[in-house]
Amino acid sequence: ARLLGAVLEREGFSTVLVDRAAGAVRSALAAAPDVILLDISLPDGDGYALCAEMRGEPSLAGVPVLFLSSLVTLENRLRCFAVGGQDFIPKPFAPPELAARLRAQLAAKTQRDELAERAARTLQEDGARQSVTDMVVHDLKSPLGTIKIALTILQERLTVDDPALARMFNGAAASAALALTMVNDLLALREGPL
């Protein structure tokens, strides 16, 4: 573990070294790593179980895990991916390749984090827009209802000799009724199932 730490630090990485399964999850939670390198064979456990345990922790679930092991059978490599690993690097490894794979995983994690942040911001903005839309639709209901009633009363009580003015009253009353129906439909859609 110390040799690996020295190699990584020479490549520009900051490291927290843990050489046992016991306490590894607690250490990872405390360190909040950007990436985890994990061996399959640990003195007090196995990397498969440790990876699965880390995947069960919400704050570690999205952290890339790269397995580094001399157990290079196809079965071992596939099992690493099955428990949540993103990559498998066979031992002995070439330090430049290890550094390149770590940087690739870090770049991918950064992109995923940025996308998740952008999606959360978009959802929040969409929620705010929807709230404003709901408020405007709700606030339009009362004035439209008043306009519709006023036009209906005017139509019933006034005698209009001018046909153009009569058409204008009828058009205004129909437009107010249509707008009120649309507002009511929008309110019903917001409150009911889609």
Side-chain angles (χ1 to χ4, degrees):
R2 303 238 181 273
L3 176 61
L4 178 60
V7 167
L8 292 173
E9 287 176 4
R10 271 197 310 271
E11 292 287 342
F13 295 97
S14 298
T15 61
V16 174
L17 301 175
V18 179
D19 58 359
R20 299 199 172 280
V25 173
R26 187 172 48 253
S27 293
L29 289 169
D34 293 318
V35 67
I36 295 170
L37 273 176
L38 187 57
D39 200 328
I40 294 172
S41 300
L42 300 170
D44 62 340
D46 73 79
Y48 304 123
L50 183 54
C51 183
E53 186 179 348
M54 287 182 181
R55 290 294 177 235
E57 292 290 337
S59 61
L60 297 176
V63 177
V65 175
L66 286 76
F67 280 91
L68 185 66
S69 182
S70 58
L71 302 174
V72 295
T73 66
L74 177 61
E75 182 183 337
N76 287 325
R77 293 190 316 256
L78 292 176
R79 189 165 175 205
C80 290
F81 293 112
V83 297
Q86 272 73 32
D87 200 355
F88 181 93
I89 303 162
K91 288 183 185 177
F93 60 88
E97 180 185 5
L98 175 62
R101 288 180 183 225
L102 284 170
R103 286 189 182 95
Q105 288 298 328
L106 289 169
K109 182 182 183 302
T110 298
Q111 288 176 340
R112 282 191 305 271
D113 291 348
E114 288 172 357
L115 281 172
E117 188 177 305
R118 196 174 313 141
R121 231 182 3 257
T122 300
L123 283 173
Q124 187 177 22
E125 290 168 359
D126 287 350
R129 269 193 293 278
Q130 187 61 45
S131 293
V132 168
T133 302
D134 290 349
M135 181 180 67
V136 168
V137 167
H138 186 270
D139 290 350
L140 281 174
K141 184 177 181 178
S142 182
L144 284 172
T146 302
I147 292 169
K148 182 179 178 275
I149 290 170
L151 287 170
T152 301
I153 291 171
L154 285 173
Q155 277 181 311
E156 291 172 358
R157 295 192 177 170
L158 289 178
T159 305
V160 180
D161 296 332
D162 183 354
L165 188 56
R167 278 193 305 278
M168 188 170 51
F169 265 120
N170 291 336
S175 293
L178 177 62
L180 189 57
T181 299
M182 289 169 49
V183 165
N184 285 331
D185 289 348
L186 285 172
L187 287 171
L189 181 64
R190 184 190 72 187
E191 293 167 4
L194 291 177

